[in-house]
Amino acid sequence: DILTSRIQSDNSYDISRNALQELVRGWKDAPNTLNVIKDCVRNDNDKDVRCTAIKELTRGWKNIPETLNLLKKSAQQDSNSDVRRTALIEISHKWNSEPETFLWLKLRAQDDGSPDVRRTAIKELARNWKDEPGILLWLQHRAQNDTHSAVRCSTMKELARSWKKDASILDFWQECAVQDAFRRDNKYQVNPRETALEVLMQQYRRNSKIKTLLRNAAQDDDDEKLREWATLQMRKLSCE
């Protein structure tokens, strides 16, 4: 009862989290423990406590059918993107053998309002469902069509990682290097056209079209930072 009271009423995240973990560790089979954990997942005011509760729920009660449904609800409806990401990762890792998980992750990668959540879903798909039919084309589509440049860049990096030096997607990389619609708003953004050019430089360096793509970027790209980067890469190539 003392632990439950601390979980539900303490304003300190550390105290609530530690009480939550102690409750699961020492009183997992007590009649009210599961209800306390579920209440934290649904209703705690602190996002970090909700994240901890999600992890404890998955660790201790994975085999209860209600657990997956509750995690999916958090992954789709929680107001905080960190909580949605946490629930999504737990589902991806613990229910990866469920056929519906693959399709559900694709929907989260397309529909979640947070770029960070979409990036996480895409990462999970690219690394854990690489052999699913159609996944390569689907990832290429996300890399070209997500509305946020950071998601497009992240998807490109996952493609470069999982399909390294794959000749079948060379045309895709060339299209991204030229056609991505990125427009810079601040100096901290990463340009997907640059990301695609970096992959081409690293994995297809000897292809005869790379120099032309770099030259065109150095001379004509709308993004000053990319023009500077491409010019530097041209100088490096000339010294090889």
Side-chain angles (χ1 to χ4, degrees), residues 142-235:
R142 299 317 308 159
Q144 293 177 312
N145 293 284
D146 193 278
T147 57
H148 200 287
S149 61
V151 180
R152 299 199 300 277
C153 285
S154 181
T155 308
M156 289 179 193
K157 291 176 181 177
E158 292 300 327
L159 283 163
R161 180 184 185 274
S162 295
W163 284 270
K164 189 174 182 179
K165 297 182 179 180
D166 190 327
S168 70
I169 60 173
L170 177 58
D171 288 345
F172 159 79
W173 291 118
Q174 293 175 9
E175 289 174 9
C176 290
V178 174
Q179 297 178 7
D180 189 273
F182 175 82
R183 293 294 179 270
R184 184 172 298 282
D185 295 320
N186 62 68
K187 64 180 181 180
Y188 302 106
Q189 291 175 295
V190 179
N191 187 334
R193 296 192 296 276
E194 180 177 332
T195 300
L197 284 168
E198 286 177 346
V199 173
L200 287 165
M201 287 283 291
Q202 293 166 3
Q203 300 189 10
Y204 307 88
R205 196 177 189 88
R206 298 190 182 280
N207 187 282
S208 60
K209 296 181 180 179
I210 305 306
K211 284 186 178 181
T212 301
L213 289 169
L214 279 174
R215 186 182 303 110
N216 290 343
Q219 295 174 350
D220 301 325
D221 198 275
D222 293 336
D223 181 9
E224 181 181 358
K225 288 192 69 175
L226 177 51
R227 293 198 304 273
E228 293 173 353
W229 177 86
T231 299
L232 178 61
Q233 302 309 309
M234 287 291 295
R235 289 173 185 164

Side-chain angles (χ1 to χ4, degrees), residues 30 38-39 64-65 77 91-93 96 108 115 120 124 139 154 204 229 233 235 240:
K38 291 192 295 185
D39 184 65
I64 296 177
Q77 299 180 13
I91 292 169
S92 175
H93 291 182
N96 55 8
R108 302 322 309 148
T120 299
E124 294 296 322
L139 287 169
S154 181
Y204 307 88
W229 177 86
Q233 302 309 309
R235 289 173 185 164
E240 292 181 356

Side-chain angles (χ1 to χ4, degrees), residues 74-86 88 105-123 142 146-152 154-155:
S74 290
Q76 293 169 206
Q77 299 180 13
D78 195 281
S79 60
N80 185 273
S81 61
D82 288 343
V83 178
R84 298 201 302 277
R85 286 181 65 251
T86 298
L88 185 148
L105 281 170
K106 287 174 70 176
L107 288 176
R108 302 322 309 148
Q110 293 171 186
D111 297 342
D112 195 277
S114 165
D116 287 338
V117 176
R118 298 201 301 276
R119 289 166 65 179
T120 299
I122 285 168
K123 176 181 176 181
R142 299 317 308 159
D146 193 278
T147 57
H148 200 287
S149 61
V151 180
R152 299 199 300 277
S154 181
T155 308

Side-chain angles (χ1 to χ4, degrees), residues 4 7-8 20-21 23-24 27-28 30-46 49-75 78 83 87 95:
T4 300
I7 292 167
Q8 295 174 335
L20 190 66
Q21 292 172 333
L23 179 67
V24 174
W27 290 270
K28 178 179 181 293
N32 198 42
T33 298
L34 177 57
N35 288 332
V36 172
I37 302 298
K38 291 192 295 185
D39 184 65
C40 287
V41 171
R42 295 188 184 106
N43 300 316
D44 197 277
N45 291 327
D46 191 302
V49 173
R50 298 202 300 278
C51 286
T52 299
I54 284 169
K55 293 175 182 177
E56 294 297 336
L57 179 65
T58 306
R59 184 178 295 113
W61 292 272
K62 175 184 179 293
N63 294 323
I64 296 177
E66 184 182 358
T67 297
L68 178 57
N69 292 332
L70 182 54
L71 260 63
K72 282 187 174 180
K73 187 172 182 180
S74 290
D78 195 281
V83 178
W95 284 271

Side-chain angles (χ1 to χ4, degrees), residues 87-102:
L88 185 148
I89 290 170
E90 291 296 318
I91 292 169
S92 175
H93 291 182
K94 303 300 195 308
W95 284 271
N96 55 8
S97 61
E98 295 289 332
E100 66 179 26
T101 300
F102 172 66

